[in-house]
Amino acid sequence: MQEAIEYLLEKEPVFSLIIEKYGLPVIPKRPQGFGTLVLLILEQQVSIDSAKAAFLKLKAAAKKVEPEILLNISDEEFRSVGVSRQKTAYIKALALAVVNKEINLESLANKPAQQVREELIRIKGIGNWTIDIYLMFCLEEPDLLPLGDIAIINTIKELLNIHEKEAMAARAVKWSPYRSYATFILWHYYLKKRGRTISY
């Protein structure tokens, strides 16, 4: 991490200001596998806290967050623990892909990021944001900027006065090969400024 941070401080002065004011960022880590992908589906377009609450209720109802078990839970039961009809369909699509051996989640750790993306994107309900977060949090991919993340977009707009995604991506080229660490710094600023603490 130290090497990445030093590299980024040299490339982008605003990162120095963030770290001087708020300290070093947290490097999020989550376990690989099915359970984390279910949680990430729940986190789409809602707060991490509300998604985690729904995940814990689902886990309590199912006893274990495993593909075979979730496929046998009715849509009504999903709804009763706060999971929307759409996200229920996404979770079941993922579970079915695993059960039918259309994807081997354990094998993803040994594949390049682009191949992981190509395999996961085929599953209904798993888009680039979910894949980016999985790659960064679980597979420790060092060089991603998730431009589907509203907090990242808003923070770049605020700090760098860049308003188009294409321009954001172009600016971030100079942060490579540590764009994930740049993302962690930007999230750190976003949360600290708002007085929020998140347990990843």
Side-chain angles (χ1 to χ4, degrees):
M1 172 174 153
Q2 189 59 37
E3 180 183 329
I5 297 294
E6 286 175 6
Y7 178 89
L8 292 168
L9 296 184
E10 192 179 303
K11 296 289 182 181
E12 194 68 73
V14 76
F15 292 152
S16 297
L17 299 176
I18 293 170
I19 289 172
E20 282 169 19
K21 187 165 186 180
Y22 296 120
L24 290 170
V26 172
I27 307 301
K29 287 188 180 169
R30 286 184 180 173
Q32 299 171 26
F34 179 76
T36 292
L37 280 166
V38 170
L39 178 56
L40 286 173
I41 288 169
L42 293 173
E43 284 178 1
Q44 293 169 4
Q45 299 177 319
V46 301
S47 74
I48 285 179
D49 291 338
S50 64
K52 189 175 284 184
F55 180 81
L56 291 174
K57 287 178 187 173
L58 178 61
K59 191 174 182 180
K63 305 296 185 254
K64 285 185 176 179
V65 179
E66 292 180 353
E68 296 84 353
I69 294 172
L70 295 193
L71 282 172
N72 288 315
I73 292 180
S74 70
D75 290 4
E76 289 71 27
E77 285 179 273
F78 270 97
R79 201 151 48 247
S80 74
V81 297
V83 181
S84 69
R85 184 179 281 107
Q86 185 178 49
K87 288 186 179 179
T88 297
Y90 294 167
I91 290 167
K92 289 194 172 185
L94 171 63
L96 197 60
V98 173
V99 167
N100 289 344
K101 297 184 167 48
E102 292 163 20
I103 191 165
N104 180 342
L105 298 180
E106 287 71 33
S107 73
L108 298 182
N110 303 314
K111 294 175 179 175
Q114 187 55 36
Q115 189 174 348
V116 172
R117 189 177 303 280
E118 288 167 6
E119 292 189 25
L120 285 173
I121 203 83
R122 295 188 201 118
I123 299 168
K124 183 183 178 183
I126 295 186
N128 282 313
W129 177 85
T130 303
I131 296 165
D132 285 344
I133 303 304
Y134 190 81
L135 281 164
M136 292 165 67
F137 286 22
C138 304
L139 303 182
E140 298 181 38
E141 170 60 42
D143 197 28
L144 279 175
L145 182 73
L147 286 176
D149 189 276
I150 194 70
I152 292 301
I153 290 170
N154 287 340
T155 302
I156 291 175
K157 285 179 181 177
E158 177 187 341
L159 294 177
L160 298 173
N161 196 29
I162 300 172
H163 294 268
E164 302 298 326
K165 281 189 182 181
E166 293 80 4
M168 292 177 187
R171 176 65 163 260
V173 167
K174 70 176 184 175
W175 305 341
S176 185
Y178 297 119
R179 281 174 286 193
S180 298
Y181 289 89
T183 300
F184 301 146
I185 294 172
L186 294 169
W187 271 327
H188 185 56
Y189 170 86
Y190 181 87
L191 293 168
K192 288 290 185 183
K193 189 179 180 192
R194 289 158 180 77
R196 290 176 57 197
T197 302
I198 281 180
S199 171
Y200 292 105

